[in-house]
Amino acid sequence: MHENMHTMNAIAVEEQNAELVFDLNKAKIIDLNQLDTPRALNSEGGIDAFASAGAWTDVVYNPNITTAGQWVFGPLMDAPSGTSSTATVQNITWQWNIWNIWNIWNYNTNLTTYLCESTLNVCFDISGNFGAGGNTSSYNIPANQSWRYAFYYAGSGSISPALLGQNGSIAVTYQ
């Protein structure tokens, strides 16, 4: 198998037992340093410099990671029905965590974490960054796009103790 292509075993409820191929050469992997600072919310609840058409949030419970050398997906985080398909994401913020019973205070450097839109064409590398946000307006991502976390633990074989999935969330503003 090509070194940048990995078979992913989807753990998400809606895709249990599905095999997906994640080709890093086809996905646009965006480093957080490439994102602009999120546009700040002003005291009136609006967003400075533009009028936001809307916003949505979602929270999921990410899966445990028990095996090294394969990708594991979190469940889809979906926009509410009726969210515009012609509006684009302006800002996205996230918060996630994976807990390791033996190493609760340090990030496990074997773990790569992406926040991806559901087609896996655009992914933000959030490895070791448990909560932050960025201005994504230049990427023209539809506001009604679903998102998910993707995790890869380097190596092979069983991970002992397993990395325990915790809550993951996103907040999306769009116009």
Side-chain angles (χ1 to χ4, degrees):
M1 185 174 276
H2 188 274
E3 70 180 32
N4 286 331
M5 188 181 301
H6 303 280
T7 300
M8 294 187 181
N9 290 323
I11 305 282
V13 171
E14 66 277 4
E15 293 184 2
Q16 201 157 18
N17 300 321
E19 286 282 329
L20 299 175
V21 175
F22 185 26
D23 187 342
L24 293 176
N25 292 316
K26 291 182 181 176
K28 181 172 188 163
I29 306 296
I30 300 165
D31 186 274
L32 292 184
N33 294 328
Q34 294 175 271
L35 294 179
D36 292 331
T37 302
R39 295 178 178 170
L41 294 175
N42 64 29
S43 61
E44 289 78 35
I47 297 180
D48 294 338
F50 74 97
S52 176
W56 63 270
T57 62
D58 201 0
V59 178
V60 296
Y61 202 81
N62 283 311
N64 295 339
I65 302 171
T66 60
T67 305
Q70 61 183 278
W71 286 92
V72 178
F73 283 111
L76 285 173
M77 295 174 281
D78 294 319
S81 62
T83 302
S84 173
S85 61
T86 58
T88 57
V89 175
Q90 299 298 301
N91 289 318
I92 190 166
T93 58
W94 62 87
Q95 187 171 12
W96 67 278
N97 198 5
I98 294 287
W99 190 62
N100 181 335
I101 195 167
W102 300 118
N103 196 10
I104 61 173
W105 304 114
N106 296 313
Y107 174 70
N108 192 315
T109 57
N110 285 349
L111 183 64
T112 299
T113 305
Y114 293 134
L115 176 61
C116 300
E117 49 78 38
S118 61
T119 64
L120 305 175
N121 289 324
V122 176
C123 296
F124 299 103
D125 185 352
I126 59 171
S127 301
N129 192 319
F130 298 104
N135 177 337
T136 59
S137 59
S138 63
Y139 296 99
N140 296 316
I141 300 167
N144 67 343
Q145 184 68 55
S146 296
W147 294 81
R148 67 175 0 134
Y149 290 97
F151 304 98
Y152 184 82
Y153 191 90
S156 62
S158 295
I159 300 170
S160 181
L163 301 178
L164 305 176
Q166 304 295 303
N167 285 341
S169 63
I170 59 169
V172 173
T173 62
Y174 59 89
Q175 84 174 49

